[in-house]
Each structure stands twice: as C-alpha cells, then as structure tokens.
Amino acid sequence: MDLPRQRLTQPLAELMRVDRASGRLVVRKYRLAVIDGPDRGKTAPLTNTVALGSDERAGFPLTDPTVSRLHVQLTPRADGVLVKDLASTNGTLIGGLRIDQAVIEHEATLTLGSTLVRLHVDEADLGAPLGPDKLGDAVAASRAMRHVLGLLERLAQTDATVVLLGETGTGKDVLAHALHAASGRANKPLVVFDCSAVAPNLIESELFGHARGAFTGATTDRKGAFLQADGGTLFLDEIGELPLDLQPRLLRAVESGAIKPVGSDRVTTVDVRLWPPRTATSTRR
C-alpha cells in the first residue's frame, strides 16, 4: 500500500472556518497524543494528511505489534478530521465502534490495536473583522458586507481552498478576483474555468490537459486549467455542473496536487489554490 501523499494545494498548519451563527473567523489546530500503549506519551501536531501504523515509513509510527503497518489515515480539515481505516487487521475504533471512514468534529480517542490515540483540538477565535469598503473591484456599502470583505482579506493571506456560496449574480467572480489580487499569488496566473460552458466529454481534457494522439483531433499536447494556473489560482465556476464520474479525479487533484493528462502516463505535480464557488440553489452534488 502506498503512503498518503502530502496535500500540496492547502497548507494545513492552521485551518480556518467561518462560524455560521456568528460570522466569526475561527482557526483550528489539531494534535495527536498516545495516551495508552507502548508509545504512551508520544505527541505530534496534525498538520497534514498522515498515516498511523507500525511501519517506520508511517507519518506517525507506532511500535505496538497489534497495530497494522499502515493502520489509519487522518486528514485535518476546517470542519474536523477525516479518519479513514486502511484495511487494518484489528480495525479502527472510535467510542467503541469500528469505523471505515468518519469525520471527527471534536476531540476523540481512537483505538488502534492496544494503543489509544487522543485527538486534541485547539481553537482560536479571530472575531468578525471589519474590512475595507473596497477589496479589489468588490465594493462594500454596508457594515455586513464589510465584515465579509474583512474575512476574505484575512483568508487571502492563506493558501486555504475557499468555497464561495451565493445566488447567480451575487458577485462570486468579482470576489474571486479580489481574493487573488490580495493574496501572495497575485503575480501568478488566475485561471477561470466555467464548468457549465464545456461539453461533458471535453471537461477532463480542459481541466487536466491531454497528450498528443489521446483522441481524434488531439494533434498536439495541451495544458489543462490546472497546469495553466500552476503557482497561482484556479477559479472553478459552476463546479456543481461537473459530471459525477469526473469528481473523484478532481478530488485527487485537490488532495494530492497531482494530475495526469488524458492519454498520458506522466503524473505532474502542481501548486494551485482553488476558489470553487457554488450557487445556493444548486441541487447537484
């Protein structure tokens, strides 16, 4: 089994989320601590996707012989930690229940063989910052909108992936351009890809590129949107319109930063920040 790749598109040392009730910006950090078993007392910050197991190549190695070589994978997110059992022999238990995959929203204890690993959550409330009345081409005429721009101004200083929610015509495209201009990637490309404007059979090629001869009419190699945006920002407009069978490939690209052009065996790593907006009325998942 391959070890999980490091997620390249989103540094996860600090994970930001907006509290929906208060509109306040909250930063989360996660820590792992072995509270029982041969490695009791071992701790480490959980800053990126990591595998726990008895193999020395695991990101968080354990000496417990009842733990599988690659036992479980943890992925920190702003809304919690995604826990995925890696077909371990003794299973992964949370609260006495064996799980294949689950999201831990708060602190919890994982049972891996004879080892207990505690997931700690530290949160810092950054408040609801009052931003400028103008961010790029986005203009705020009300205090509520200035709070929105204040949040976006802070998020622009991170590499966090951002989902913009709103009805058609509410200015998601304007905000995406403003965020890019206020970010450390401002001198790099901003590529806008409209998922609803490309024929379904061409979307994969348009996103990931294609090799010469991959299909009829592919007379030359072509860079897709991900490669065009390398080092910068990729704005995926109308992401809910992506075909369902393509979404797993997009997820892999987001998580690993690795893409493979259509008709090619070559895997390329890209450094791309994503702005995937979604309309509030969209019914597709």
Side-chain angles (χ1 to χ4, degrees), residues 24-75:
R24 302 174 76 84
L25 192 63
V26 177
V27 176
R28 273 195 167 192
K29 293 183 180 181
Y30 301 102
R31 294 180 292 115
L32 297 176
V34 179
I35 59 175
D36 200 7
D39 301 286
R40 183 174 182 176
K42 179 174 182 175
T43 65
L46 179 60
T47 59
N48 219 312
T49 297
V50 67
L52 283 66
S54 57
D55 193 303
E56 61 181 12
R57 298 175 301 155
F60 193 82
L62 300 166
T63 60
D64 184 352
T66 64
V67 171
S68 296
R69 293 176 61 247
L70 294 176
H71 196 108
V72 65
Q73 176 180 305
L74 305 182
T75 300

Side-chain angles (χ1 to χ4, degrees), residues 80-100:
V81 174
L82 176 63
V83 180
K84 183 178 181 180
D85 185 79
L86 299 176
S88 63
T89 301
N90 293 323
T92 299
L93 284 72
I94 302 176
L97 298 176
R98 184 165 181 164
I99 61 97
D100 290 322

Side-chain angles (χ1 to χ4, degrees), residues 7 10 12 15 28 30 75-82 103 255:
R7 180 174 179 144
Q10 179 179 356
L12 298 175
L15 294 150
R28 273 195 167 192
Y30 301 102
T75 300
R77 312 188 316 193
D79 60 344
V81 174
L82 176 63
V103 175
E255 289 185 335

Side-chain angles (χ1 to χ4, degrees), residues 180-181 183-190 231-232:
H180 177 74
S183 74
R185 297 172 179 258
N187 62 342
K188 299 294 184 178
L190 168 62

Side-chain angles (χ1 to χ4, degrees), residues 36 96 105 140 174 176 179 213 248-249 269 271:
D36 200 7
E105 297 181 359
V174 174
L179 283 163
R249 283 205 62 188
T269 298
D271 175 19

Side-chain angles (χ1 to χ4, degrees), residues 158-244:
T158 76
D159 274 336
T161 294
V162 175
V163 177
L164 300 173
L165 296 171
E167 303 282 354
T168 299
T170 52
K172 297 186 296 295
D173 183 86
V174 174
L175 291 177
H177 280 78
L179 283 163
H180 177 74
S183 74
R185 297 172 179 258
N187 62 342
K188 299 294 184 178
L190 168 62
V191 176
V192 179
F193 183 84
D194 188 345
C195 301
S196 65
V198 181
N201 63 320
L202 295 177
I203 286 183
E204 185 175 10
S205 171
E206 293 295 317
L207 277 176
F208 306 119
H210 64 249
R212 178 182 178 182
F215 49 83
T216 302
T219 57
T220 61
D221 291 346
R222 174 180 170 82
K223 289 184 178 181
F226 271 88
L227 268 177
Q228 294 173 36
D230 191 19
T233 302
L234 176 58
F235 177 56
L236 295 177
D237 202 6
E238 300 296 342
I239 193 171
E241 299 304 316
L242 278 180
L244 291 177

